[in-house]
Amino acid sequence: MDVLSEEIRNEEFWELLYVDDLVITSEKEVDFQRRVVEWQETFERDGLRVNMDKTEVIVTNKERRDRITMHESKGSILKQMEQFRYLGSSIRQEGGCEAKAKDRIKAAKGKWREVARVVCDKKRPIELKAKMDRTVIRPVSMYGLEMWALRGKEDAKLERTDMRMLRWITGIITA
């Protein structure tokens, strides 16, 4: 086994480059700091500029609430956040999916309000209402769910919201 593959295997970080966003994760602060500087230098060498005003750092640790001071290659201190949104999901310092579940429930309720005239109309066939739920409302509430580590609490909230909407659709609950 060569030295390079051994070094890569020992590093505990991963990176995701998506369009113009970069996510760097690391279990060790020094590895993270090094990767930030390497990416910034690589971008600048290729004629790109990293907007440090938009660059944010979040430390996720359930045991302690550490504040760290991260610097980029020119010495600027990066903002440390307790929560931020990335690709439509809320990422919180303490981890967990509470904010994601709330966001999805809020989005589903918004979509529900948009189609309520159709799904709550007693004259419409139940098959049409069910199809609206399956194709319009439910995908909004479940978007990204396969990537979450749901606890029972969040799962129950999503289930309650879904059941309440289904009761409205079937006419079990009325205004």
Side-chain angles (χ1 to χ4, degrees):
M1 181 178 303
D2 64 1
V3 177
L4 181 59
S5 61
E6 182 68 27
E7 179 184 14
I8 290 171
R9 199 167 41 120
N10 286 333
E11 294 186 59
E12 297 175 2
F13 66 86
W14 62 265
E15 299 159 334
L16 171 67
L17 184 58
Y18 181 78
V19 187
D20 64 345
D21 290 322
L22 171 64
V23 175
I24 302 170
T25 66
S26 177
E27 297 205 10
K28 297 177 184 160
E29 187 176 338
V30 292
D31 290 339
F32 178 80
Q33 181 75 51
R34 183 176 50 80
R35 295 305 295 161
V36 168
V37 171
E38 286 174 4
W39 272 102
Q40 186 178 18
E41 289 171 352
T42 300
F43 286 146
E44 288 175 358
R45 191 172 43 246
D46 292 337
L48 302 171
R49 185 177 80 59
V50 177
N51 187 340
M52 286 303 163
D53 294 333
K54 291 183 178 181
T55 302
E56 300 172 343
V57 174
I58 189 166
V59 176
T60 57
N61 187 334
K62 290 191 181 247
E63 288 82 37
R64 349 181 275 270
R65 300 266 190 263
D66 288 346
R67 299 261 339 144
I68 62 170
T69 304
M70 296 300 302
H71 298 275
E72 48 94 21
S73 66
K74 293 181 178 59
S76 298
I77 297 175
L78 302 176
K79 290 183 285 194
Q80 185 170 337
M81 309 299 287
E82 292 181 14
Q83 174 178 330
F84 66 90
R85 293 185 66 79
Y86 181 72
L87 299 178
S89 290
S90 294
I91 300 169
R92 295 175 37 172
Q93 183 175 12
E94 53 280 338
C97 296
E98 298 92 0
K100 294 175 191 144
K102 284 180 184 177
D103 287 349
R104 293 290 93 213
I105 289 169
K106 184 178 177 182
K109 286 180 178 178
K111 190 54 71 177
W112 166 263
R113 282 188 285 281
E114 288 178 27
V115 298
R117 279 194 148 135
V118 174
V119 296
C120 292
D121 186 351
K122 292 182 187 334
K123 297 174 189 163
R124 307 258 183 201
I126 193 73
E127 294 81 16
L128 174 66
K129 295 176 184 184
K131 190 171 189 174
M132 290 287 287
D133 180 61
R134 277 193 318 271
T135 60
V136 177
I137 300 166
R138 192 165 294 171
V140 171
S141 66
M142 300 296 151
Y143 178 77
L145 186 67
E146 65 275 1
M147 299 300 290
W148 303 353
L150 278 181
R151 294 182 305 181
K153 188 168 114 176
E154 291 88 23
D155 190 33
K157 282 182 182 180
L158 287 162
E159 182 73 22
R160 275 194 309 271
T161 303
D162 190 42
M163 288 289 104
R164 186 164 182 84
M165 288 184 213
L166 287 173
R167 286 187 197 105
W168 276 90
I169 288 171
T170 58
I172 295 171
I173 300 176
T174 58

